[in-house]
Amino acid sequence: MAEPILECRGVSKHFGAVQALYKVDFEVRPGEVMALVGDNGAGKSTLIKGIAGIYPFDEGQVLFEGKPVKIHGPKDASKLGIEIVYQDLALADNLDVVANMFLGRERTQNRFIIDESSMEAAARETLAGLSVTTLQSVRQVVAGLSGGQRQSVAVAKAVMWNSKVVILDEPTAALGVAQTRQVLDLVRRMADQDLAVVIISHNLHDIFEVADRITSLRLGQAVDLFTTSEVTQQDVVHSITAGEMKFVPGMEKEGV
Amino acid sequence: MSTPSTDEVPSAAPKRKDPTTFAEYLQSWWLRVQSGDLGFLPIIVGLIIIIAIFGTLDSRYFSERNFTNLLLQMAPFATIAIGVVFVLLLAEIDLAVAFNSAVGGVIMTLLLRPDDPGLPWPVAIAIALAVTTFIGFVMAIVITKAGVPSFVVSLAFNLGLNGVVLILMLEFSNSGTIRIADETVKDISNAFLPDVWGWILGLAAVAAYGLSEAVKYRTRSSQGLPNKPFGILGLQFGGLALLILGAVWYANIDRGVPFVMVVLGFFLLFWSFVASRTRFGRHVYAVGGNPEAARRAGINVDRIRIIVFMIGGFMAGAGGIVLASRLQSVATNSGGGDLLLNVIAAAVIGGTSLFGGSGKVVSALLGALVIGAVASGMNLQNVNAGVKFVVTGLVLLAAVLIDALAKRRQAASGVR
Ligand SMILES: Nc1ncnc2c1ncn2[C@@H]1O[C@H](COP(=O)(O)OP(=O)(O)O)[C@@H](O)[C@H]1O
Ligand SMILES: [Mg+2]
């Protein structure tokens, strides 16, 4: 079994009086799909935003490839090879697929002039590598794409940057059955290419189909770490709603 | 696990590859049109209709003299409208362009006054452009740093700059008019190229287009990327060559190609290049399409806004100079009248969306041509200014409706 590529050790985060995360351990290995589950407000988004460096954790350590790292913003995260696909994909509707995949990181010939053909070639290669075949043309404007296609473009964008860890926040929440299928296939293929994939989802059915392991959060604490093949959906539901918390809420200050 | 994925969305139904034949290309183009990506189709159709109507009403409409006059008339509008296109691409508006252009014209004219200070024309023009660009910069600072909508800020500047023009004119002239005291500057909008030079520049433009397409073709095929079919490339090249060389030929029957077309042509090429081939241009479209996406992609959105309003100010100044040159003077009413209406209408009629993120620099030229073609046809009909306003207003309304409908069509064809 591979060593974890990304590991959080005892990370905490509070917003005012709200303890959004408390001493959470979390890890993901190359080539696996790690699901992150939990009720609304459990702290899932806070965990990935902390990893992305959108805000710092109050305490705890983040290790990347075994070494402690400080991530101060999305730029630092991308430099390490961590890419996040947020729930609202943030694609520019008026730009084509290639332009969106390279937005803000356009390849240029001499700092100013865009190198369209090399960008297009790279975009095609990435999409083909992920077997995204439903796109008519990479020069199609994103406004004309379906929800599943848009998600595919956002994921391909994340994968293209030599990323090692791709984090997806509720990638199927807004999709129909067939399009969810597309995205789940895509997630599986990413892991097969030895990427570490973290997927946040409320849909246990999806998770059981695609995830290798499951981390469940409850009220800001990591309550269980399952291997998907060894548990049932009931076990996970129980963990989400009534999992045993290691630290007693309200007792944090005294130390455990 | 990898069952072949299907898609329930009708618009994406057939899994077609990039079009490779002439017929396939036309077919995919038509599909794009149907899904609301109209490109220049409405404006070209509109221009043909306008020309047909006025040509039937009065055959003088087709005269060479009328054609060169049209070019002279629309050049200042098109020049200013280039800046307006950039501002509209951000889904912003600059209502101060007309009086900003007048500020440019007035400052240049004042600086050229003999011995007072009698600056050489390049210096006078440079200072005028610096001032109008700076005005755009100041507007942008207020808009970005104070977060006030550009509509309101530029409205205030519109009023203020109108005042500045009046103050300057009253301060420096008794008659309310100052004549331009420099032959070179007057030549900008009044001189014509010798026939030979008209041909040389026309051919050079056609050759440059052909060359850039050929280079693109080669790089694309060397990277294994699909190209447009030869038939389409030939048609596009032939069409453009016919248009440019036909215009040169027709203008040469009259006095020749107006020199101002060289100035306008340079601006159109330069700014088209900036918009479509540079990172900056790409980021302008991104900010106009989805500011949040642009921000997350690490684009400095405020910086883009500031530069765009500076481009708006610069092109306003340039257009003001071209207009002053045409009238050979500036006056208390410079920048007033229907100038603002005409330049914003030109950008919109030319196909630049008011919703931001879509439009091309050349739409400034196309829109100004439409407005000029309507105005010149009306003049031949001897209708009064009122009718002219009504008709121009209707054309603008049609353009805005087409934009809104196309937008709705696009939203419907993709599943959001
Ligand atoms: N920026 C913030 N400011 C204040 N409270 C926040 C902020 N972000 C999250 N929280 C709180 O932290 C807790 C965890 O939220 P979140 O991580 O978004 O949960 P999840 O994504 O699992 O639904 C919630 O109680 C939420 O209200
Ligand atoms: Mg969340």
Side-chain angles (χ1 to χ4, degrees):
Chain A
M1 187 63 71
E3 289 300 304
I5 181 162
L6 176 72
E7 198 178 349
C8 299
R9 283 194 193 150
V11 295
S12 301
K13 178 75 194 171
H14 70 91
F15 298 103
V18 180
Q19 192 71 42
L21 290 177
Y22 190 71
K23 301 207 178 194
V24 169
D25 294 332
F26 178 73
E27 61 168 42
V28 59
R29 299 180 183 135
E32 83 168 340
V33 177
M34 171 65 93
L36 189 56
V37 298
D39 218 340
N40 281 327
K44 306 181 294 290
S45 296
T46 305
L47 181 60
I48 64 160
K49 283 178 184 160
I51 293 171
I54 291 179
Y55 34 60
F57 289 122
D58 302 335
E59 59 169 342
Q61 258 193 334
V62 179
L63 289 88
F64 190 80
E65 293 178 332
K67 288 184 281 289
V69 286
K70 287 264 174 288
I71 300 173
H72 294 292
K75 285 238 166 82
D76 287 352
S78 324
K79 240 179 253 158
L80 290 173
I82 303 172
E83 293 284 335
I84 295 162
V85 180
Y86 292 99
Q87 214 164 338
D88 54 333
L89 303 173
L91 299 172
D93 272 357
N94 58 327
L95 298 181
D96 64 31
V97 173
V98 178
N100 265 293
M101 286 175 67
F102 279 90
L103 192 57
R105 306 187 259 198
E106 292 82 4
R107 286 189 191 170
T108 53
Q109 276 157 0
N110 42 23
R111 278 197 62 224
F112 294 108
I113 301 170
I114 290 185
D115 188 352
E116 290 287 357
S117 49
S118 104
M119 280 170 29
E120 184 172 330
R124 280 172 184 275
E125 199 182 297
T126 306
L127 287 164
L130 293 169
S131 309
V132 175
T133 51
T134 58
L135 286 177
Q136 263 180 41
S137 157
V138 290
R139 286 301 176 186
Q140 202 179 354
V141 167
V142 165
L145 301 185
S146 71
Q149 291 174 322
R150 296 164 67 88
Q151 190 77 45
S152 303
V153 170
V155 168
K157 175 181 179 174
V159 171
M160 193 172 52
W161 298 98
N162 280 327
S163 42
K164 297 170 179 161
V165 180
V166 175
I167 304 176
L168 305 157
D169 195 353
E170 308 226 11
T172 57
L175 301 183
V177 178
Q179 301 189 359
T180 298
R181 172 85 270 127
Q182 259 181 49
V183 172
L184 292 181
D185 287 347
L186 192 53
V187 166
R188 199 57 249 174
R189 281 196 293 271
M190 285 196 283
D192 293 345
Q193 293 185 7
D194 230 28
L195 275 135
V197 185
V198 178
I199 179 171
I200 297 181
S201 176
H202 276 119
N203 189 326
L204 288 183
H205 184 261
D206 290 358
I207 284 173
F208 268 75
E209 191 162 317
V210 81
D212 300 301
R213 293 193 294 164
I214 304 170
T215 299
S216 78
L217 289 182
R218 182 168 167 236
L219 300 173
Q221 297 185 26
V223 285
D224 282 298
L225 174 56
F226 299 112
T227 301
T228 312
S229 55
E230 294 167 0
V231 291
T232 64
Q233 293 198 21
Q234 266 72 38
D235 298 332
V236 178
V237 171
H238 180 266
S239 165
I240 291 170
T241 51
E244 189 189 338
M245 307 192 16
K246 297 185 188 68
F247 308 101
V248 183
M251 298 291 285
E252 293 95 22
K253 302 293 171 303
E254 278 89 296
V256 185
Chain B
M1 239 7 186
S2 339
T3 46
S5 38
T6 49
D7 203 292
E8 61 202 342
V9 182
S11 76
K15 241 200 288 175
R16 279 185 298 102
K17 285 280 109 208
D18 299 88
T20 46
T21 69
F22 193 82
E24 276 173 9
Y25 189 87
L26 282 187
Q27 206 182 3
S28 84
W29 170 77
W30 183 239
L31 271 177
R32 282 206 306 275
V33 169
Q34 282 176 325
S35 64
D37 183 5
L38 300 178
F40 292 122
L41 189 65
I43 177 117
I44 288 167
V45 172
L47 204 52
I48 291 172
I49 293 174
I50 289 168
I51 292 172
I53 291 177
F54 287 115
T56 351
L57 288 174
D58 190 330
S59 61
R60 280 177 301 167
Y61 191 69
F62 290 127
S63 70
E64 309 85 36
R65 177 52 59 113
N66 204 39
F67 177 62
T68 48
N69 278 342
L70 169 64
L71 296 182
L72 290 169
Q73 275 161 13
M74 66 90 202
F77 298 160
T79 309
I80 301 173
I82 291 174
V84 176
V85 168
F86 272 94
V87 175
L88 289 182
L89 280 179
L90 290 185
E92 304 278 352
I93 188 89
D94 182 356
L95 296 175
V97 271
F99 283 115
N100 200 4
S101 80
V103 167
V106 169
I107 287 179
M108 174 200 68
T109 307
L110 287 176
L111 293 176
L112 288 174
R113 289 187 311 166
D115 302 325
D116 184 19
L119 293 179
W121 64 264
V123 181
I125 288 181
I127 293 176
L129 291 177
V131 171
T132 60
T133 307
F134 182 71
I135 290 171
F137 171 76
V138 176
M139 266 197 298
I141 292 294
V142 179
I143 292 163
T144 52
K145 302 303 172 202
V148 189
S150 55
F151 176 82
V152 187
V153 174
S154 64
L155 190 62
F157 271 74
N158 172 58
L159 212 61
L161 295 177
N162 187 4
V164 170
V165 170
L166 281 177
I167 292 168
L168 287 174
M169 289 306 295
L170 294 176
E171 180 73 20
F172 292 103
S173 98
N174 302 320
S175 62
T177 306
I178 306 174
R179 299 191 58 76
I180 292 177
D182 184 287
E183 291 309 314
T184 314
V185 172
K186 279 197 264 187
D187 278 351
I188 293 175
S189 290
N190 292 288
F192 295 84
L193 295 178
D195 288 9
V196 190
W197 275 103
W199 284 116
I200 290 176
L201 288 176
L203 285 169
V206 172
Y209 174 78
L211 204 67
S212 84
E213 286 295 296
V215 168
K216 191 163 132 195
Y217 193 94
R218 268 196 43 192
T219 23
R220 285 187 66 88
S221 23
S222 77
Q223 308 233 25
L225 298 173
N227 266 303
K228 287 182 193 167
F230 266 121
I232 294 290
L233 287 171
L235 210 65
Q236 285 175 338
F237 179 77
L240 191 84
L242 204 69
L243 228 64
I244 290 182
L245 297 179
V248 170
W249 169 73
Y250 213 56
N252 276 348
I253 298 178
D254 189 47
R255 292 158 290 180
V257 176
F259 174 73
V260 71
M261 292 309 289
V262 179
V263 177
L264 179 58
F266 168 78
F267 280 137
L268 286 171
L269 279 180
F270 176 77
W271 291 118
S272 294
F273 185 83
V274 169
S276 63
R277 304 285 299 278
T278 67
R279 289 191 82 191
F280 168 76
R282 174 65 42 86
H283 294 174
V284 169
Y285 282 90
V287 172
N290 187 345
E292 182 53 31
R295 196 170 288 117
R296 284 199 212 157
I299 295 169
N300 186 339
V301 175
D302 279 356
R303 182 174 149 268
I304 300 286
R305 286 222 173 89
I306 292 169
I307 297 175
V308 161
F309 273 92
M310 288 170 75
I311 294 173
F314 179 87
M315 291 313 293
I321 290 167
V322 169
L323 190 57
S325 160
R326 179 168 154 67
L327 305 172
Q328 308 198 8
S329 64
V330 290
T332 39
N333 65 356
S334 289
D338 54 359
L339 182 61
L340 178 62
L341 170 100
N342 278 336
V343 295
I344 292 183
V348 175
I349 291 173
T352 303
S353 172
L354 289 164
F355 305 106
S358 117
K360 293 222 162 83
V361 168
V362 73
S363 62
L365 171 71
L366 293 173
L369 275 175
V370 167
I371 291 179
V374 170
S376 121
M378 301 287 228
N379 287 342
L380 286 177
Q381 296 298 310
N382 272 326
V383 296
N384 63 39
V387 180
K388 217 159 84 185
F389 283 177
V390 171
V391 173
T392 311
L394 287 175
V395 174
L396 176 59
L397 191 64
V400 178
L401 285 177
I402 290 171
D403 180 27
L405 289 178
K407 197 86 190 170
R408 210 188 292 171
R409 203 54 197 258
Q410 260 176 1
S413 71
V415 172
R416 298 297 322 280

